[in-house]
Amino acid sequence: MAFSMMQLFLLGALGPRLVDELDVSPTLLGLTTTVGFGAAAVLSPVGGRVVDRVGPRRCLVALLLVSAVALALIGSAPGAGLLLAAVALGGLPQALANPATNKAILATVPPERRGSVTGMKQSGVQLGAFAAGLPLAALAGVAGWRGAVWTAAGAAVVAAGWAARTLPRDVPRVGGSTPGARSSLVPRGAIAWLAAFSLLLGCGIASVNTYLALYGTQRLGLGPTAAGALVAVLGVAGVAGRVGWSKVAGQPARAVWLPGGLAAGAVGAALLLAGASFAHPLAWVAAVAVGVFAVAANAVSMVLVMQRATPGRAGQDSALVSAGFFAGFAVGPPLFGLLAESGRYGTGWLLVAGEFAGACAVAAWWAVRDRGGVKP
């Protein structure tokens, strides 16, 4: 999970250096996120079907190797063209990550432990944010940003070798689910709600991931390494939030109410970011709050997917919800980037607060309507 999104976290954490060295504008920096997550959103439904057919082990090894290639290409990019192509390639690992890991959990973890295990698994994404924001950003100060990205590529190759040797062999798919259900690429029922919630949540989270470090350097007076540390703080808080709240979500009666509450907390976090322009230390509090609330809400949605997935198509249902999340990641940063280009960061954070508020409204509406529809 950490490597599936490593390239985008690195682009966010190293954004100030890219803006200077590759002459990348803030708007173009946001476009890299759009390209990466746009590709992931398009590929996710197909990726989910591939995982259901091929098995999680093969897909996990493949996503690590493709991540390594994408990172190596980013580190070699002479300009915006190859950078965007490499980020688009990185959409494939993102499309495979949640379906493959969720499918592995369903196959090997007893139901009573799936919530906490899913939280640990989802915290891998924030581990990637931490690695990009602190050790790799610090390495960039010594070896240059290209050296930091190439180091991440080498680590992905090592992880692929570990996965190939360690993960259990894939079990051939056994029939039993309805063919029509498996072939459907349209989310329905709880999966459709989770996809809509994830779309709005992704818009806000992506804007924070992409522009937090740049906000730190351009508005808060932080150096590049300190601004990268903001991303690392968000990552650490996200790990704690995902593990803790996913464990709570393991109890289905509580899980249905959690997304709305977490999205409401995320609204407060976005407002703190807006206020940081006037009181700079608030940025650190806001980074923690984004991790604890917004980032954790995505992990809770994955717990709900596994509780609600149609038998035989956990990979497909995970992919459809992930597609909504990735679509949000594709849409959010360009909108924020237009505001950042003109220096209106405060308005941008208010836009993020509005996106989180929309996610809160969708979650509350569904929770009221659901009334005990959770599968045991």
Side-chain angles (χ1 to χ4, degrees):
M1 291 297 292
F3 282 109
S4 70
M5 288 177 57
M6 179 67 74
Q7 71 274 10
L8 293 172
F9 282 127
L10 277 171
L11 289 175
L14 302 177
R17 291 183 168 90
L18 291 172
V19 168
D20 292 338
E21 294 185 29
L22 289 185
D23 195 24
V24 174
S25 69
T27 301
L28 185 58
L29 186 65
L31 184 60
T32 62
T33 301
T34 299
V35 169
F37 282 102
V42 171
L43 293 172
S44 282
V46 175
R49 297 179 71 180
V50 169
V51 172
D52 282 336
R53 291 177 179 274
V54 174
R57 177 177 176 268
R58 294 185 184 93
C59 290
L60 287 169
V61 172
L63 82 82
L64 287 164
L65 291 175
V66 175
S67 294
V69 173
L71 287 164
L73 289 174
I74 289 172
S76 304
L82 184 56
L83 185 68
L84 291 174
V87 171
L89 177 63
L92 179 58
Q94 293 169 245
L96 293 174
N98 273 316
T101 51
N102 286 355
K103 190 95 171 174
I105 288 173
L106 285 172
T108 59
V109 178
E112 64 273 12
R113 294 190 58 236
R114 286 175 187 165
S116 59
V117 172
T118 301
M120 293 176 65
K121 182 265 291 190
Q122 291 295 126
S123 72
V125 175
Q126 298 317 116
L127 177 63
F130 173 79
L134 195 58
L136 289 173
L139 178 63
V142 177
W145 70 267
R146 295 183 190 275
V149 176
W150 287 330
T151 298
V157 173
V158 173
W162 169 84
R165 289 177 173 269
T166 306
L167 297 178
R169 292 184 179 277
D170 294 317
V171 178
R173 190 183 65 177
V174 179
S177 60
T178 304
R182 181 180 290 121
S183 62
S184 174
L185 297 180
V186 179
R188 293 182 173 86
I191 302 304
W193 166 80
L194 287 167
F197 171 78
S198 297
L199 171 66
L200 291 164
L201 188 71
C203 284
I205 293 176
S207 296
V208 177
N209 286 346
T210 305
Y211 288 103
L212 182 58
L214 203 60
Y215 178 55
T217 58
Q218 294 188 346
R219 286 291 178 271
L220 306 184
L222 300 177
T225 301
L230 267 179
V231 180
V233 166
L234 189 158
V236 172
V239 169
R242 287 186 163 191
V243 172
W245 288 117
S246 294
K247 185 175 182 179
V248 175
Q251 304 173 43
R254 293 184 178 182
V256 70
W257 298 101
L258 273 179
L262 295 175
V267 173
L271 294 177
L272 285 174
L273 281 172
S277 293
F278 307 99
H280 295 180
L282 286 179
W284 300 93
V285 179
V288 172
V290 170
V292 170
F293 295 112
V295 172
N298 174 248
V300 169
S301 72
M302 283 296 116
V303 176
L304 281 162
V305 168
M306 287 188 281
Q307 291 172 349
R308 304 301 185 94
T310 303
R313 53 169 283 165
Q316 181 70 40
D317 286 346
S318 298
L320 291 172
V321 174
S322 295
F325 190 61
F326 295 149
F329 265 63
V331 171
L335 297 177
F336 194 105
L338 293 174
L339 297 171
E341 190 80 21
S342 58
R344 292 184 290 166
Y345 278 98
T347 305
W349 298 129
L350 291 178
L351 172 63
V352 170
E355 291 160 349
F356 287 147
C360 179
V362 171
W365 173 79
W366 178 75
V368 170
R369 290 193 58 183
D370 186 71
R371 298 291 187 183
V374 181
K375 293 180 180 181

